[in-house]
Structure formats: C-alpha cells, structure tokens
Amino acid sequence: MAFFHRRPDWHLPESSATPESVYMNRRSILRAMGLGGLALSGGILLQGCSQPTDSNSNNEPGTNTSDGGSQTDAGTTTTPEGSSVTPPSDPLTNYDKDAPGLDLYPSKRNTNYKVPERDLTPEKPAQTYNNFYEFSTSKEGVWPETGAYDTTPWTLEVTGLVDNPIKIDLDKLMRQMSLEERVYRFRCVEAWAMTVPWTGFPLAQLLKLASPQSKAKYIRLHSTSRPAQMPGIERASWYPWPYQEGLRLDEAMNELAMVVTGVFGKPLTKQMGAPVRVILPWKYGYKGPKAVEKIEVIGEQPKTFWNTAVPDEYGFYSNVNPDKPHPRWSQAEERLLPDGTKTKTLLYNGYADQVGSLYTGDEY
Ligand code: MTE
C-alpha cells in the first residue's frame, strides 16, 4: 500500500515554496530574538505550519534526526535532560495502557456526521503523518519521539469568564459526557487532507457546564508544554510556546466543534494529540490544538501560536476557503492521503450549511 513513509512527489520542500518576503520575515523574527545567526547557520528556518527544510533525512519512521533529535544506535532516544527513552513500537496503539476512558471505545457512530463522497483514510497513513511540533517538525518523525510523553492522569480546566469554573480529571469527565464517533473531513493548510473517525463530545457541552458569562466573547485553548517529555520544544525554542489557539465563542458553540479523545475507535495516540484535542472540521487543521489542558473563556480576541510566529501567513479565523490562497499554497485543490489524489477544495471544507451563517465572508 502506498503509505507516506516517503514523501509523495507533490510534496514540495518548504525551501522551494517559501516566497522571499516570508523568508525575510522569518529572518527578522529570528534576528529580533537574537537567534538569527545561530538558527540560520544551523540550517533551521522558522517553518510555519509546514515541513522541515532538512536535506538529509530519509523520513522513515524512527530514523529522523532532521530537527536535531538524538537517536542512538540502539534505537533509544534521549530527552533534553539526557535520560534515555525507548521509542514506541507500534504507532497505531501508541497511547498509555491506562489511557483516560480506555474502556469506552469504540463508541457509537453518529451517522448525522459522515463524508459521503469519499472513503475513510486508511489508519496507518493517517496516524503516522503528523504535525505536532512539540515532538518534531518532521511529519514521520513525530510518533517515534513520543516515548517519554505521559498522558495519564490528565486534568482539563475551563476557566476565566465563567460562573462554574471546571477542573476535572479527564477520565471522570469522559464518563459524564456521552462519547460518540463522527466522521469528518480534515484539511491541513498545506493542502493535504484526510477523512477521519473521531471520538469525543461537542465542545459546546463542556462550555455550557462552565456557564460562560455575558462578557465572554472568545475562548483561548492551551496545549500542554512539557520540554522534558516533548523534545521538539527545546529544539525549536524560537516558536512562541506553548501552542495556543482561539475561537470566537459562537464558533466554539457550533455543533461541529468537538472535544476529541479518540480516533479510529481507540484512544487518541500520542502523535495524534493524546489524550485530548479539539477538532474544527471547517477550519485548517492548525486551528485545532492537541494535548489541551486548559480552555480560558475571555472577552478579547486571543493571540494564537501561528499568527504570532508568522502573522502574514496565518489569520485568526483560518476557515477553509478555495478562493483565499495562502502565500505558499494555493487552496483551490487538496490532495488526499495516502496517495495524493487531487480533489477540489470545498468552502468551509464542505460544512457551509452548519457554519456559513457565522461569517460575513471577509474573515481572515
Ligand atoms: N497542536 C499542537 N499542540 N502542536 C502542533 O504542532 N499542529 C497543528 C494541529 N494541532 C499542532 C497542533 C497542525 S499544523 C495540524 S495540520 C494538525 O494539528 C495536525 O493533526 P494530525 O497530526 O492529527 O493530522
């Protein structure tokens, strides 16, 4: 089967796709941070939601060292503190053996949410071609780097402008919600796409439990940041960690916005964002943070990770739109995993009926 162990031929290295203005912008960010000479002389660029500029990695799982990883001959990796870690053996079961809600899978599929025009993406390419920069900037390099990541127990917090702040053990929360499976389209701004069965519950249900106040207008989503368990953070220390995202409150309350704890009928694997992530199928994938530990309900539009890192490339709304090209990627077409079959991009990724009324069309 044509899995993505090797880069497909449509997959441009970023160095060949980065316009000079973007490159220059990155140079000035790095210089402003005192990292310019160091980062550039080491061949590292601020990449955006993209793939590494490595020229020497073969990108086979378990072998990538393109972003400065330290894999040894024995197959172990070392943490930033120097302790050795055994990489996971199977990417498809790469969750803790006592993962939150383990016995709740598989959950019943909600057939109101399906993707009639295409098949599910096969599990292996979907689970091994990842963007999760806390571990690695190489897509195939993420899962082998998750050996030290411990997701159990996990506490999720909803705080800020709410009448009932929540701080709860994820396993307990999952038993209070009714989990369901939904098949959604997933679209990365890099123009690759997949079709995935996610398990979880509506984000609106969690927010309603916390009871947002009338001043509440936005939410800020915080990913965890654990340099000792996530080797990519120190290697790419110029990024504005921790990973954060934001939504307008009415977007967050939309029926499609989902708190996701599982995929392919099992707990989320570590590379897919264990133990809990947010999925927003009408937006580019980077709007959905992985490994979420806190949701803040706030009054002002929050700053976000990618908008802070590369403001010219990543807006706050980031709705899938075939007519709004990204500086490096036309958005008119998308390429389906695993073989790169091209299809036309749909406005709001095919979810205009559910979310079209939230927007005027001018949002960026
Ligand atoms: N969340 C965190 N915390 N860190 C990340 O690097 N990458 C984002 C998003 N969420 C990212 C993240 C991007 S760019 C994409 S496209 C999706 O996760 C990728 O999800 P997948 O690896 O499950 O396909």
Side-chain angles (χ1 to χ4, degrees):
M1 195 172 318
F3 289 145
F4 269 22
H5 284 177
R6 291 195 182 281
R7 237 172 240 169
D9 51 10
W10 49 265
H11 209 149
L12 289 178
E14 192 219 21
S15 49
S16 65
T18 307
E20 193 182 10
S21 59
V22 175
Y23 180 81
M24 293 311 287
N25 180 34
R26 291 169 183 189
R27 286 182 78 104
S28 40
I29 294 171
L30 292 169
R31 215 178 293 118
M33 297 171 87
L35 287 163
L38 180 71
L40 291 168
S41 68
I44 301 166
L45 286 174
L46 191 63
Q47 289 162 19
C49 182
S50 180
Q51 64 187 51
T53 52
D54 61 306
S55 53
N56 52 4
S57 161
N58 65 9
N59 277 299
E60 291 292 340
T63 61
N64 175 63
T65 54
S66 63
D67 56 0
S70 49
Q71 189 141 17
T72 67
D73 290 345
T76 57
T77 55
T78 47
T79 65
E81 276 105 29
S83 28
S84 84
V85 177
T86 309
S89 54
D90 176 10
L92 305 191
T93 56
N94 184 24
Y95 42 79
D96 286 337
K97 296 307 154 234
D98 51 355
L102 187 61
D103 54 305
L104 302 175
Y105 300 96
S107 300
K108 195 166 183 302
R109 184 170 290 183
N110 181 340
T111 51
N112 292 328
Y113 300 94
K114 53 187 173 210
V115 180
E117 76 281 10
R118 63 197 203 205
D119 292 336
L120 280 186
T121 302
E123 185 176 353
K124 188 157 186 193
Q127 292 248 37
T128 54
Y129 188 76
N130 299 107
N131 278 329
F132 202 170
Y133 278 24
E134 286 88 334
F135 294 100
S136 174
T137 54
S138 153
K139 287 179 172 54
E140 296 88 345
V142 173
W143 74 264
E145 292 280 10
T146 58
Y149 181 42
D150 184 5
T151 70
T152 316
W154 192 272
T155 304
L156 186 63
E157 202 180 345
V158 185
T159 177
L161 302 174
V162 292
D163 287 335
N164 299 317
I166 297 172
K167 194 167 184 178
I168 188 168
D169 176 71
L170 180 63
D171 182 85
K172 228 185 219 165
L173 175 69
M174 288 169 71
R175 288 168 205 285
Q176 283 177 29
M177 302 304 214
S178 84
L179 295 190
E180 63 181 37
E181 186 177 73
R182 297 181 180 186
V183 177
Y184 278 167
R185 300 178 193 89
F186 181 95
R187 173 64 150 75
C188 179
V189 70
E190 297 159 339
W192 54 269
M194 54 185 182
T195 314
V196 180
W198 303 108
T199 303
F201 53 86
L203 176 56
Q205 276 179 20
L206 179 62
L207 293 171
K208 279 183 198 152
L209 278 184
S211 192
Q213 298 166 356
S214 55
K215 291 171 284 185
K217 299 283 181 276
Y218 291 89
I219 65 167
R220 175 163 42 218
L221 299 148
H222 299 246
S223 292
T224 197
S225 177
R226 303 180 178 181
Q229 299 181 12
M230 299 172 142
I233 293 179
E234 278 195 11
R235 274 184 227 143
S237 57
W238 54 88
Y239 280 116
W241 305 110
Y243 198 97
Q244 290 187 8
E245 258 306 336
L247 293 170
R248 233 171 42 198
L249 190 57
D250 58 345
E251 299 182 289
M253 298 298 277
N254 185 274
E255 59 167 304
L256 293 176
M258 199 175 177
V259 176
V260 163
T261 59
V263 69
F264 290 101
K266 294 172 288 189
L268 273 179
T269 53
K270 296 183 181 186
Q271 66 272 16
M272 294 289 276
V276 58
R277 70 187 285 180
V278 168
I279 286 290
L280 309 158
W282 72 102
K283 292 180 179 285
Y284 294 115
Y286 64 87
K287 287 295 293 180
K290 298 178 167 184
V292 173
E293 58 183 13
K294 186 160 74 170
I295 301 173
E296 248 183 304
V297 180
I298 54 181
E300 307 292 327
Q301 182 175 306
K303 287 203 172 306
T304 66
F305 181 86
W306 285 111
N307 184 252
T308 304
V310 201
D312 299 348
E313 294 197 2
Y314 303 105
F316 179 78
Y317 285 94
S318 306
N319 295 321
V320 175
N321 188 336
D323 300 323
K324 284 195 186 163
H326 178 277
R328 284 182 282 150
W329 301 285
S330 158
Q331 300 296 358
E333 289 186 331
E334 59 195 34
R335 295 156 183 105
L336 290 173
L337 296 187
D339 54 12
T341 304
K342 286 188 183 177
T343 83
K344 287 211 176 314
T345 301
L346 302 172
L347 180 63
Y348 303 122
N349 210 16
Y351 297 103
D353 285 351
Q354 290 93 333
V355 299
S357 64
L358 295 174
Y359 306 109
T360 62
D362 293 332
E363 291 81 3
Y364 164 59

